[in-house]
Amino acid sequence: MFCVRNKSDRIRRRVGLQNPRLKVTVAEIVQETPVVKSFKLVGARGRLPRFSGGAHITTYFTVNAETMERHYSLVGNPQRDDYYTIAIRRSETSRGGSAHWHDQIRTGDEIEISYPKNHLPVSFEAKHHVFIAAGIGITPFMAMMSELAASGKSFELHDAAASEAYCPFYEEIRKRYGERAKFYFSGKQQRLPVAVMWKQPIGTHVYFCGPEEMISQFRQAAIHYGYPASNIHYELFSPPNVGPSYPFQAVLAKSNVTLQVPESKSLLEVMLEQGIAAAYSCKIGGCGSCEIEVEDGEVDHRDFFLSEQEKKTRKVMIPCISRAKSPLIINL
């Protein structure tokens, strides 16, 4: 559910199989909209690690004997360390994650989460911040706006939803940020235009979070308006729809291991199943954590992390989502 374009923030830590976890208890559940619930999580051992605006956690739970990982932005105040808050929209096409949280999780339940990770940090270089959200895409911006407001920084929010009733945290945002927040409700024939990015002050950074189509539209518009790539930041909910998947073969050159990757799994999933301690974080092609070097073979790039130029010139692959058009030889 998240993607970032800050190449300077590439993660090189070896996580994967060594990812530490925290135990938390569900202290409160609030029905924010007809399809969104928020969950207040308190640490089983007291204080929780601090986080910065834009951070997320990974939650771990079991559905039908299958362990699932789902990533959710932290929407609370980054200054608080006594609890975390996440908000989850129930998806009509849920593969078990949002349905489990909405239907099975109860107050008092204990779950495991990761330490906070941030692939969508607030830019300290920005003179002004423009946040553009659609639906549940408001979640990372809640903590980011709180952080900026506390430090007196300049920002504005443009938030699209079906209606006031279906707009998560609508009343809270309206009361806290007043005219800095503008809302667009499709039920009232109000459309969020890309032109909100036009004629912004020099040094403005733009941030998008929402469906893939919305992010693509606003990203292309920002480039057209002349925003540098380093000033454009975005986050996805789920892997982009990049067409059919086909099986392929990958050879790990250094260890002389051959992996068969079926159409139903990613190369990263197969590597982890084989006990290979591969680095990873988002698993949807956005953060670059799992980037690997390719010695030979044609990569079918499907990620949102590498630039078009990098996809043409660098011999690398994002194995959580990208695939192969021919057998690959990987420098592992």
Side-chain angles (χ1 to χ4, degrees):
M1 79 187 247
F2 27 90
C3 274
V4 175
R5 301 304 303 168
N6 284 353
K7 297 302 177 65
S8 61
D9 294 329
R10 291 176 189 268
I11 295 177
R12 299 300 179 192
R13 292 174 297 167
R14 302 304 291 182
V15 285
L17 301 179
Q18 305 300 319
N19 218 350
R21 300 183 183 183
L22 298 167
K23 288 187 177 180
V24 296
T25 301
V26 180
E28 183 180 10
I29 302 174
V30 177
Q31 189 80 49
E32 301 289 350
T33 79
V35 294
V36 174
K37 286 183 177 181
S38 66
F39 300 83
K40 182 178 180 180
L41 311 175
V42 298
R45 296 185 177 181
R47 300 294 178 183
L48 291 164
R50 291 290 182 92
F51 66 95
S52 56
H56 70 274
I57 56 172
T58 302
T59 65
Y60 305 92
F61 51 92
T62 302
V63 176
N64 297 326
E66 179 185 357
T67 299
M68 292 191 171
E69 299 180 12
R70 293 294 185 271
H71 314 290
Y72 301 109
S73 297
L74 293 168
V75 301
N77 185 345
Q79 302 301 315
R80 302 290 297 265
D81 62 0
D82 51 340
Y83 67 89
Y84 292 156
T85 302
I86 59 175
I88 302 172
R89 181 187 185 277
R90 184 187 176 104
S91 172
E92 298 84 356
T93 58
S94 174
R95 294 177 297 166
S98 67
H100 178 79
W101 275 93
H102 274 250
D103 299 340
Q104 303 300 325
I105 296 296
R106 300 287 183 266
T107 301
D109 286 353
E110 186 177 89
I111 62 172
E112 289 189 329
I113 64 172
S114 70
Y115 282 73
K117 297 171 281 188
N118 200 339
H119 301 317
L120 188 65
V122 172
S123 171
F124 294 108
E125 299 176 351
K127 304 298 183 184
H128 180 62
H129 307 263
V130 178
F131 300 114
I132 298 171
I136 196 64
I138 188 61
T139 52
F141 301 150
M142 294 297 290
M144 296 169 84
M145 291 190 297
S146 178
E147 192 171 61
L148 291 172
S151 57
K153 301 297 184 181
S154 175
F155 68 90
E156 62 187 77
L157 168 70
H158 299 271
D159 191 6
S163 66
E164 291 93 333
Y166 279 83
C167 184
F169 309 109
Y170 171 67
E171 288 296 338
E172 178 183 347
I173 295 170
R174 189 176 62 84
K175 291 177 181 177
R176 289 187 65 183
Y177 303 118
E179 293 184 356
R180 286 186 285 186
K182 294 179 173 60
F183 299 92
Y184 308 79
F185 300 121
S186 59
K188 296 182 179 181
Q189 287 73 55
Q190 297 170 345
R191 180 168 181 165
L192 171 54
V194 296
V196 299
M197 299 183 291
W198 179 241
K199 293 186 178 180
Q200 291 286 354
I202 293 175
T204 293
H205 283 231
V206 291
Y207 307 76
F208 320 132
C209 190
E212 179 190 345
E213 312 86 70
M214 170 263 202
I215 289 176
S216 296
Q217 178 190 14
F218 276 81
R219 176 173 173 266
Q220 290 303 317
I223 294 172
H224 176 72
Y225 289 152
Y227 283 86
S230 59
N231 290 30
I232 303 172
H233 317 265
Y234 50 87
E235 184 168 58
L236 290 171
F237 298 153
S238 57
N241 182 8
V242 287
S245 297
Y246 300 101
F248 65 95
Q249 184 182 88
V251 177
L252 309 187
K254 291 183 179 179
S255 53
N256 195 28
V257 173
T258 298
L259 301 176
Q260 303 296 333
V261 183
E263 60 186 70
S264 60
K265 295 182 179 180
S266 68
L267 173 56
L268 176 64
E269 288 176 311
V270 173
M271 291 168 67
L272 294 175
E273 287 177 355
Q274 295 300 314
I276 299 166
Y280 71 90
S281 185
C282 77
K283 288 188 173 181
I284 61 172
C287 69
S289 302
C290 60
E291 179 184 300
I292 55 178
E293 295 181 8
V294 176
E295 292 187 4
D296 191 38
E298 186 177 2
V299 177
D300 179 8
H301 292 288
R302 301 184 173 201
D303 64 275
F304 266 62
F305 181 74
L306 299 171
S307 68
E308 292 305 313
Q309 182 65 20
E310 287 177 313
K311 290 175 181 179
K312 294 177 181 177
T313 59
R314 297 183 63 210
K315 297 289 287 183
V316 296
M317 177 185 188
I318 307 298
C320 66
I321 189 168
S322 294
R323 304 188 71 80
K325 298 179 181 179
S326 65
L328 294 181
I329 299 179
I330 299 168
N331 190 21
L332 282 177

